[in-house]
Structures are given as structure tokens and as C-alpha cells.
Amino acid sequence: MKIVKREILGIDLYYVPIKKFKTIEAFFVFTNEVDPTTFNEKNFLTEILLDSTNKYPSTENLKLVCDNLYGLSKVNHYHFEGNLDITMFIISSVSDKYLGEEKIFSQAFDVLLEIIYNPKTYKGLIPKKTVKEKLMQTQELLSSLKQNKNAYSYYQFMRTYTRNNTDHITFFPETKYLDQVTHKTINETYQKMINEDRLQIFIGGDFDFEEMDELIKSKINRIKIHESKSFTFKNHFNPATEINEVIDNTSTGQTRIFIGYDLGFPHTQKSATIMSLFNELFGAFENSKLFTNIREKLNLSYYVYSYYSPGNDLFFVNLETSKENREKAVKEVAKQLLDCQNGLIEDELFNQAKKNLINRLETSVDSQYKLLIYNVIDFIRYNEPFDLEKRKKAIENIKKTELIDLIKTIKIDTVYIYT
Amino acid sequence: MDKKYILMDEVIHHKKLANGLNVYIHPKPKFIQTFASLYVNFGGRDFTYRIEEEDFTLPKGTAHFLEHMLFENNDELLSGVFLDNNADLNAFTSRRLTSYYFSTKNNFSLLLDKLLDNFIDFNFSEKTIKKEAKIISQELSMNDDSDSTKAYKSLVRLMYKDSSIYEDIGGTKTSIKEINQEVLSQAVNHFYHPENMMLLVSGNVKPEEVITQLESHNFMKKEWPAFKSIKRMTDLSDKTIHRKKKFDKKLETNLVEVGIKVPESLFIDNPQKHYMLIDPFLEMMFNPASKLYKVLKKKNLYNHSLTVSPVYDGDYSFINISMETKKSKSFIKTILELIQELPTITFSEKYFLAYLRAEIGRSIKSFDDVKDSHSLIESLLIMEIDIANYFSLKREITLEDFRPYQEIFKKENIYIVEYLKRP
């Protein structure tokens, strides 16, 4: 699979040709510098745009057209990737040849353009009523957040863990700015996205390049073309000066524990790869340090895992245990990390973790969506396509000593206990 | 081996092996992964059953406990060889069955052998039983720690007399203490038999090779005793109390659970038809563009927690509407008015035909992912839907088929549970 890059009237277009899939997927990716003050607006906006358009002014109308296109699926993703703000609109359409009908993808592409560039407006603006509805629903969601103990504890932990990083890491809904959301700010954010953000288009599936070029050219007049900006991905986590321990005693059931870490080393493509390997052996599979010791040996928890997010340099451990085992569990997680930092990583575990990571990358060729996402992210972070062979080699070449050297700087930043 | 086409380039091979095991294989040669699932017709509901006129009982949660134990059968860790081959091995227990499944890119034959090795002889040590009891106890505590799960369970308990419908699949902390070697042995002897199992393989395999491998495996060579069929009975008789309120000062928001029973007559004679109709019917009735959603939005009673889902488990069926809301009183009043109007509404042919096209598109899309197509075929096999006719059955659904479903929205079929925050 070779990524083909096209530039049509100033827009960067990437074809990810894969013959075996029955669907064609198109991603519109908008990128800009992060602005946490408009994070809520962007979240609302992506939802509002997918609800209705000028041509299909109700949810019912838009659903009808999508259903008629054999269940055209449309989703959005919005998140911060280091210093960059990423908004994606994605459609997945069954390839014409499996339907015995022509131009299904062409019509699907029209719907996507309609969603992005022709929103439902009143006097040229996204209506006040729509924004008010979204705000009310969000307020209600916030007021009942505590009911879902997992979501509540995760949200509270993340806010504590990233407290020194609110300029580039935030979580929806960002309560600090929620009162400032108005239909005016939503409209401004929308205009900024279509007029200033960098646009990249990724299309994956079994299609003819020339035919796709023609199709895009025939529709390009609907896209707002402007001078393309370039961005450099930067990523850093600002730790706290001392460990922040929060014990929230308001839970009525099991104890949820989150431990967030400061990695203490700068993000590079290489360090991210090594850290992914460490995450794997520490807490991402059944033979990992945490699973083997905390669940299987000590029976402290039904689930325990670690999670590493290279996009914003976050690394944390989450587990659920009984109230009486709380301290024991926290101590054991600390012990396991210390053991790893002292070099107590079995060769078998190290090699198995490597094979797991490689295996996961290799199986991505069975998912068009994953391949497209991997490409989008690699272009954003490193300005290059996803290269499976290069990634595999990078993992294979990691030495245990360099992993141990790298993780020596990892230290606890936040302990959040909901008990 | 017989084969059936589900799409022009998607074929399912089937063979019943000499020991009674039904094997289904869906080759996907362009993909690199393979998924295999071994299903045992033994689930959370099976704590009372009858074999040849004799009644048997098991502690609640035995099927789920056995699922955990199978990972350490004969004091061997089953997951070891799977982890060595970077395969994902897991299992789940539903009310009706237990499924052991794995996915792999490497050494499929070796792993299939290993999986089946585990289902020939059964030997569980008391030490492992004690260890698993602790882990399962943690799992049960997690399940008990959700208010929405509690409210849902209350609804099912209000709707049905039969405890096999509302009891937790994993049992209780008390019932799992009764599980010992003797109990597990009874469960294995009654349920873990090839005639009571099914194997489904999807992915990068050649059907003939899989069958040849299976036929020479010790699982096939073993002299299995004759399988004695298992009889289950489900009590679906009506309950007189239809509404329940519970107050809890720890709640943040009120929880509302509404259940609408589907009468047995709609699925007892033709469960396949019910399976094919229940989703499209609900989609037509309760999609986000429907009148119900519009009215709730207009009255400011809608929020993202609203879910409407069908429950169909072969021997009982209902529609569940669930909501977390501070305005529970108004929500219940409105939803009751709205659903009791449903018998008289007329569906739009235009929206229905569009929906059918969408359903066909979504089913085609599922073949782009080995896991998704594996799940689709799994549910068709479990429901005994004719795979070759799946798409034509979908196309043949008419609005007239929905008529009897509209009639279910009557007072006698509706149940409501309110979990209210005590002021």
C-alpha cells in the first residue's frame, strides 16, 4: 500500500488505496493551533453540523438522504494533539460496485460537503435556538455526571492531572469557559475553522485515482480554499512541583484509583515508540507487570491497566478495588514501576511486549479506518505517511537498556482516589 | 461440506463433525487475521434444568465461574500459548451461552488445537477455584456499583417472575461460594459436549484444511457419551404490579426505566422473523428523527442519556426505554402519552424504504472487518437464521409486518421503575 499525494487547487489530498474493502472512506481534517477558550464551541459545532444542513434542514431530512445512500455513516472527531487542534469529518460509503448503482460515493461526498460548508442558518448564522439546546443538554449531562462513577472519576482525575497544562490539554465540557458559549462565539469558531484552518483530505478504499481526481475537481468549488498554513507538532507536559494527592470520599461503592505520571523526557518519535513499548509491558496486556501482580498474584482488582497517550504525553494507571485494599494497591503499582526502573524486566516479557506492539501495527491493514487514522496522525505529528515497515523496525531495534534509561525519569504527578 | 453465499463474494462453509460439533467457516483470504469462537450452550440462566425427566440445580453463576476456570483447566494456563503467539484470547458468558474466542495473525492451526485440547478432560483444583472466586467477587462488586444497572435489574425483576431472566449471570457473592469441584463436574458433564457446542471460524483460513485438522484432533477422537438433551422452562406469565418507585439519597439524578413486554405470540412460533423485525421496527419508531424524539426535545425533556433498545433472548423479549433525568415525572407522563399513541400512527413508506437500503448498506459494511462479520454470522447462527436468505429476508420486510408490533404498546404490557433522589 503506497500513499498517493495529490494537490488539487491548493488542497492536499492523500489517497490510501486498499483493494480489499467494500467501502470508501473520506476524511476532511482541519488543523490549527490550540485555543482552549473555544474548545467547547468546537465540540458543539461538530455536533451541530452533523445534525442538519441548509439543504437538509432537519435531522429527519439528513437521515433520509443518508439512509437512501445505503446507510452513509458520518462521524466527527475533535481533539487536541499536542499544540494542535484537530477537527475531522468522516464519511464511510459502500462502494458502488457492491450496490449495482452508480454515483453513490459521489452523492455521499456531496452530503459531506453540505455538512461542512452549508450549515443550517438563520439570517446567515447558526441559530441561537440550536446553541441553546446543546448548552442545556450539556448542563444536564454535567449535573448527572457523578451518577456514572467511571466517567466521573476519570473526568475528575484528568482535570487534576492536567491542571498545569490547561493551555493545551482540556476535556469536554470545559466548565471554565462554558458560560461564555453563545451563538456568536459558535459562529466565529465555525468561520475560523473553514476560513483559516489547514485542510487535508484523506480518501481510502478501492477506487480509480484519475476518476477520483475528476470527482474532487468537479466539487472543489464548494470548498473554501485559502492559503494553506503549515504547523509543527510540539508536545510537552508541565508537571506539578509536588505530588498532588486527591482523595474524593464521596463514592458509595468500589474504590477507583488513577495514578498520573510525569514522564520527564522530551517527546520525539523515538521516545514515543520506546514509551509505547514500556506501556505495553507495564500494564497493557495479560502478562504485563500490573496484570500479573495486581490481579493474578494479589487478587486486588478485576481490572488494572496503564495507558500512554503520545499525542499529549500523558501516562496513567487505572484500577478498581475494594476500600480496604486501596493503599495496598497504590503501593503495589509504585513497586512495579520502581522494579522496572531498576531494570527488573524479564527478557521474555520485554520480547513479548515488542511482538504485541508489532502485531497490533500489522493487523491495522485489516481495518481501513485504522489505516486512515494512522496516516492522519503521522502527517499531523511528523509530516510523513504511516510507514508500517519503518515502525516495525523501530520497535524491533529497541534495546532493554535504552528503555530502562528512558523510564528512569518517570515519576508520580497525581494520585486520584474516588472512594 | 455444504456452503452458502451470504453476499456474492462471501461464503460460509458448514460441516457437522462425527462427534456432533457443528463447524462454520467464513474464509476471508485477503485479510491477515482469523477469529475463532467456540460456543457452549450453557449460560447464566442454567441453574435449574431438566434432563430425561430429572430436575437438576446448580448454584447461580456456575456457567460464568466455569468460563473463568477453563482458563486454568488441568492446572495449565490456557492463555500462555496464545500470548506467546500474540493472539487475543477471551471469553464471555451470556444468559444463554458461554463463548471462548481468540483472534490471531499467526499460527492459527496451533492455537485452534490448543483451544480444543482444553475441552477434552476437565480437572479443576480447589486452589484455583478459591483464587477465581476472589476475582469473580471483585467483578460482581463492580457490577453492583452502578445505579443504572441496579435500576435496569429492578425493571426486569418487576416484569418477570422467572429468576433465570433477572438474576445476575455471574451469580451472587453467596452463590459462588457454593461452587466446588463437584458442582463444576456436574456442569461439565451435562453441558460441555460437542453436540451442545458450535465452532465458528472467520478469516484467513482454508475451510478444507480446518476440517481436516479438526477431524484428526483428540476432541473428535474422544469417545463422548451420548448427549442428553437439556430442557429449560421460562415462566412468562404476567405480573400484577407494573410500577415501582425507589428512593435513594445517594443518587445525583433520577433514573427512569420503562419496559414494554413483547407478547410471546410474536416470537414463539417464528423467532427468526421476530429477530429480523424487532430492530427495524424500533428504528422506525424511535430514531432521532421520530416524533417521540421531536416532542421530547420540544418539551426540553430530552438529553443524551436517553436510550431505546430491544431485548430479545430467545425465550423472552421486551423494549427498554431508559433515561437519567431531573424531570422524571414529566418525562414519564410524556413518554406514556407518546408510546400509547404508537398503535395508531402510520409509517411513511419513503422513510421505511430508505431505512431498508441503510440496513443493507450497513450489513455489507460489516464484511469490511473480520470481527464485525464474525459477530454478524455468530448472531445469525445463534438465531438459526438461514444465512443464504439473510439479505432477501431483509428486503422482504414490509410495513404490514410492523402492524402487530404497534399493538404491543398497551397498558398491560408497560412497566416502569423510578429511582428517585430523596430530597
Side-chain angles (χ1 to χ4, degrees):
Chain A
M1 178 199 62
K2 196 172 182 304
I3 310 296
V4 177
K5 189 182 173 193
R6 299 283 214 251
E7 197 187 313
I8 298 182
L9 296 175
I11 295 174
D12 289 334
L13 191 61
Y14 303 90
Y15 293 154
V16 185
I18 320 150
K19 295 271 179 212
K20 67 184 177 188
F21 297 113
K22 293 178 168 63
T23 48
I24 301 180
E25 292 186 47
F27 284 48
F28 271 51
V29 183
F30 293 88
T31 309
N32 215 326
E33 297 277 353
V34 294
D35 178 1
T37 61
T38 59
F39 185 73
N40 290 321
E41 276 82 352
K42 272 284 180 80
N43 270 286
F44 286 132
L45 188 58
T46 48
E47 268 191 47
I48 291 167
L49 295 179
L50 285 185
D51 271 353
S52 56
T53 75
N54 215 9
K55 189 173 174 185
Y56 309 112
S58 68
T59 315
E60 202 172 3
N61 300 141
L62 188 56
K63 180 180 165 3
L64 181 66
V65 70
C66 292
D67 278 1
N68 266 321
L69 291 171
Y70 288 93
L72 169 68
S73 68
K74 48 186 186 8
V75 289
N76 64 64
H77 281 295
Y78 174 62
H79 72 287
F80 286 177
E81 189 77 20
N83 59 323
L84 302 177
D85 165 305
I86 316 295
T87 314
M88 288 190 248
F89 294 90
I90 302 164
I91 54 160
S92 168
S93 169
V94 180
S95 186
D96 294 3
K97 66 179 172 187
Y98 288 94
L99 297 168
E101 282 185 43
E102 284 184 356
K103 297 192 172 174
I104 294 291
F105 179 72
S106 170
Q107 293 175 65
F109 201 82
D110 284 338
V111 173
L112 178 62
L113 293 175
E114 179 71 19
I115 286 168
I116 302 171
Y117 294 104
N118 196 17
K120 181 179 159 184
T121 53
Y122 175 71
K123 292 183 180 173
L125 296 171
I126 290 165
K128 273 182 189 172
K129 193 183 152 213
T130 314
V131 177
K132 199 177 151 195
E133 260 178 30
K134 293 286 166 202
L135 274 168
M136 274 176 57
Q137 287 165 15
T138 306
Q139 293 290 6
E140 181 145 8
L141 191 76
L142 267 177
S143 67
S144 62
L145 181 65
K146 217 169 178 179
Q147 200 110 300
N148 182 339
K149 291 167 188 166
N150 288 337
Y152 170 79
S153 53
Y154 173 76
Y155 185 74
Q156 295 301 333
F157 159 68
M158 276 300 182
R159 294 183 73 81
T160 313
Y161 180 30
T162 60
R163 65 202 174 282
N164 287 347
N165 296 270
T166 50
D167 60 331
H168 67 285
I169 304 175
T170 187
F171 299 91
F172 182 75
E174 177 47 81
T175 46
K176 194 163 62 170
Y177 302 116
L178 205 55
D179 290 344
Q180 296 167 25
V181 176
T182 63
H183 96 295
K184 188 169 173 276
T185 60
I186 295 261
N187 279 287
E188 284 166 1
T189 307
Y190 171 68
Q191 289 302 329
K192 191 178 171 207
M193 181 186 86
I194 58 165
N195 290 314
E196 294 177 26
D197 283 16
R198 178 182 68 189
L199 170 64
Q200 291 163 303
I201 302 173
F202 293 78
I203 300 177
D206 180 10
F207 55 85
D208 180 88
F209 297 162
E210 274 67 39
E211 280 178 21
M212 188 60 80
D213 287 349
E214 289 308 312
L215 188 139
I216 305 283
K217 275 180 202 162
S218 71
K219 298 174 190 298
I220 207 109
N221 61 334
R222 299 195 62 185
I223 301 174
K224 298 231 174 181
I225 299 168
H226 52 269
E227 202 179 328
S228 193
K229 291 180 185 175
S230 65
F231 297 100
T232 308
F233 169 71
K234 285 180 225 140
N235 192 4
H236 67 285
F237 178 80
N238 296 321
T241 44
E242 54 190 53
I243 297 176
N244 188 16
E245 190 172 273
V246 177
I247 299 176
D248 182 342
N249 279 314
T250 59
S251 176
T252 50
Q254 289 274 97
T255 298
R256 274 109 175 139
I257 299 173
F258 286 90
I259 305 168
Y261 297 89
D262 166 25
L263 296 180
F265 53 79
H267 177 102
T268 62
Q269 201 164 353
K270 187 171 181 183
S271 70
T273 307
I274 299 175
M275 187 57 206
S276 297
L277 177 61
F278 173 64
N279 176 56
E280 186 72 21
L281 68 88
F282 189 59
F285 79 114
E286 259 180 71
N287 272 4
S288 66
K289 288 278 186 187
L290 295 180
F291 195 91
T292 312
N293 290 289
I294 290 180
R295 174 174 149 141
E296 293 297 305
K297 278 191 192 153
L298 300 169
N299 310 140
L300 291 174
S301 181
Y302 178 72
Y303 73 82
V304 55
Y305 67 90
S306 63
Y307 178 79
Y308 168 54
S309 164
N312 43 26
D313 266 6
L314 301 179
F315 177 56
F316 66 85
V317 168
N318 175 214
L319 64 95
E320 194 174 317
T321 189
S322 58
K323 283 184 197 296
E324 57 271 24
N325 283 327
R326 176 181 111 187
E327 281 178 28
K328 200 173 170 188
V330 174
K331 274 186 190 159
E332 189 59 29
V333 175
K335 179 185 177 298
Q336 291 306 321
L337 176 61
L338 192 63
D339 281 356
C340 291
Q341 288 172 323
N342 287 331
L344 290 174
I345 298 170
E346 302 77 9
D347 286 344
E348 202 183 338
L349 174 61
F350 182 75
N351 292 327
Q352 195 170 29
K354 269 189 182 182
K355 284 205 289 181
N356 280 1
L357 273 192
I358 291 170
N359 189 64
R360 211 166 296 143
L361 286 172
E362 284 175 338
T363 53
S364 66
V365 300
D366 275 358
S367 162
Q368 182 159 260
Y369 179 80
K370 265 190 202 167
L371 281 174
L372 282 160
I373 282 282
Y374 284 179
N375 272 290
V376 169
I377 295 296
D378 279 8
F379 270 107
I380 287 168
R381 285 190 199 150
Y382 312 119
N383 200 26
E384 62 183 34
F386 169 67
D387 184 336
L388 179 61
E389 291 310 312
K390 188 179 153 194
R391 286 286 192 88
K392 278 163 61 179
K393 212 164 269 172
I395 296 166
E396 274 159 10
N397 290 341
I398 298 171
K399 293 185 182 70
K400 197 155 77 171
T401 47
E402 61 182 339
L403 182 140
I404 293 162
D405 281 348
L406 186 82
I407 64 166
K408 281 212 161 84
T409 54
I410 298 176
K411 59 178 193 286
I412 296 177
D413 179 274
T414 299
V415 179
Y416 174 84
I417 297 173
Y418 182 49
T419 190
Chain B
M1 192 161 22
D2 55 325
K3 56 184 184 178
K4 287 182 175 179
Y5 284 87
I6 187 164
L7 276 175
M8 60 181 175
D9 56 351
E10 304 286 351
V11 58
I12 319 297
H13 301 251
H14 166 247
K15 184 160 187 179
K16 185 166 186 172
L17 300 182
N19 65 6
L21 180 74
N22 273 302
V23 182
Y24 295 86
I25 304 164
H26 176 210
K28 303 272 288 175
K30 291 176 187 168
F31 287 73
I32 62 169
Q33 291 182 92
T34 302
F35 287 73
S37 301
L38 182 69
Y39 309 93
V40 187
N41 188 4
F42 178 39
R45 66 175 165 176
D46 295 312
F47 47 81
T48 59
Y49 54 96
R50 185 174 289 177
I51 297 176
E52 292 178 341
E53 305 308 312
E54 190 180 347
D55 289 328
F56 290 92
T57 58
L58 285 168
K60 285 162 189 163
T62 301
H64 174 253
F65 203 106
L66 194 53
E67 172 218 307
H68 275 244
M69 293 307 299
L70 257 291
F71 282 74
E72 296 190 39
N73 189 11
N74 296 309
D75 274 337
E76 256 183 61
L77 262 184
L78 177 64
S79 51
V81 66
F82 287 84
L83 286 167
D84 290 345
N85 284 281
N86 307 100
D88 286 326
L89 170 73
N90 214 329
F92 70 82
T93 307
S94 70
R95 185 175 159 271
R96 292 170 78 192
L97 53 85
T98 314
S99 170
Y100 301 86
Y101 56 95
F102 69 90
S103 64
T104 186
K105 181 174 77 57
N106 314 309
N107 294 327
F108 173 75
S109 304
L110 167 81
L111 299 176
L112 183 62
D113 273 350
K114 282 286 171 194
L115 181 75
L116 289 173
D117 285 348
N118 209 37
F119 292 85
I120 301 169
D121 298 311
F122 302 89
N123 181 20
F124 310 114
S125 71
E126 286 294 351
K127 190 181 157 200
T128 314
I129 292 173
K130 274 186 188 151
K131 191 199 91 173
E132 283 309 315
K134 277 189 193 171
I135 292 172
I136 293 169
S137 178
Q138 282 283 342
E139 195 179 351
L140 293 174
S141 299
M142 277 169 50
N143 296 343
D144 289 343
D145 198 15
S146 159
D147 295 316
S148 51
T149 307
K150 277 188 214 163
Y152 175 77
K153 280 186 188 169
S154 283
L155 173 72
V156 184
R157 197 179 272 262
L158 182 71
M159 292 176 80
Y160 294 99
K161 287 178 184 165
D162 195 315
S163 58
S164 82
I165 297 177
Y166 60 73
E167 283 292 350
D168 198 317
I169 288 161
T172 64
K173 286 185 183 175
T174 311
S175 74
I176 63 169
K177 282 184 187 151
E178 297 165 30
I179 297 174
N180 52 30
Q181 285 174 324
E182 199 183 328
V183 165
L184 296 175
S185 172
Q186 178 190 323
V188 161
N189 291 335
H190 287 163
F191 293 93
Y192 276 61
H193 187 287
E195 279 207 36
N196 201 37
M197 295 177 177
M198 177 177 82
L199 177 69
L200 170 63
V201 177
S202 313
N204 192 340
V205 288
K206 291 188 173 128
E208 299 75 18
E209 287 178 10
V210 175
I211 294 295
T212 307
Q213 179 192 347
L214 290 171
E215 282 174 337
S216 61
H217 193 279
N218 284 337
F219 180 73
M220 306 299 145
K221 290 180 186 162
K222 176 178 169 174
E223 296 238 343
W224 293 89
F227 177 65
K228 292 172 185 168
S229 66
I230 296 151
K231 204 171 167 191
R232 303 161 173 100
M233 283 143 295
T234 317
D235 180 1
L236 295 180
S237 57
D238 284 331
K239 289 185 80 174
T240 47
I241 298 169
H242 283 240
R243 199 153 172 171
K244 185 181 166 187
K245 275 186 189 178
K246 197 180 166 189
F247 292 92
D248 189 340
K249 64 180 175 190
K250 292 169 199 154
L251 278 180
E252 294 294 317
T253 310
N254 301 331
L255 296 164
V256 178
E257 292 285 343
V258 180
I260 303 112
K261 254 189 193 178
V262 177
E264 207 178 348
S265 59
L266 282 180
F267 56 85
I268 194 82
D269 294 328
N270 195 345
Q272 291 77 18
K273 190 172 180 188
H274 177 59
Y275 174 83
M276 295 297 291
L277 286 177
I278 187 80
D279 278 326
F281 172 70
L282 277 199
E283 174 71 18
M284 288 301 293
M285 284 284 189
F286 298 106
N287 68 69
S290 65
K291 183 186 170 191
L292 187 129
Y293 274 71
K294 278 186 206 161
V295 172
L296 290 175
K297 279 184 179 172
K298 200 171 174 186
K299 293 188 170 186
N300 289 327
L301 292 170
Y302 170 81
N303 68 42
H304 288 300
S305 70
L306 176 68
T307 59
V308 182
S309 40
V311 178
Y312 179 40
D313 216 355
D315 51 2
Y316 74 99
S317 183
F318 68 93
I319 292 162
N320 177 220
I321 301 172
S322 174
M323 179 78 161
E324 288 184 18
T325 176
K326 287 195 162 56
K327 303 166 194 162
S328 53
K329 204 172 163 186
S330 311
F331 174 77
I332 290 171
K333 185 174 175 286
T334 308
I335 202 88
L336 281 177
E337 284 167 5
L338 286 166
I339 62 174
Q340 289 184 79
E341 271 176 22
L342 294 177
T344 58
I345 68 158
T346 310
F347 291 111
S348 147
E349 185 84 21
K350 184 172 72 171
Y351 284 93
F352 175 65
L353 293 175
Y355 169 73
L356 283 186
R357 283 165 70 93
E359 271 291 282
I360 289 163
R362 283 191 279 266
S363 299
I364 294 173
K365 278 181 196 173
S366 67
F367 287 92
D368 263 1
D369 184 299
V370 189
K371 194 178 176 186
D372 288 352
S373 57
H374 189 81
S375 301
L376 173 67
I377 295 163
E378 168 187 292
S379 45
L380 299 182
L381 291 172
I382 290 168
M383 282 313 304
E384 298 176 16
I385 306 271
D386 182 3
I387 285 171
N389 287 327
Y390 173 62
F391 280 97
S392 54
L393 286 172
K394 261 190 189 296
R395 286 193 187 95
E396 282 163 15
I397 296 172
T398 66
L399 281 175
E400 204 44 44
D401 291 322
F402 293 157
R403 204 59 243 160
Y405 284 85
Q406 282 182 260
E407 299 298 328
I408 69 176
F409 295 95
K410 290 176 185 161
K411 207 175 167 190
E412 63 263 32
N413 292 329
I414 300 171
Y415 296 79
I416 299 171
V417 166
E418 293 168 80
Y419 261 46
L420 303 170
K421 185 178 177 177
R422 191 183 289 282

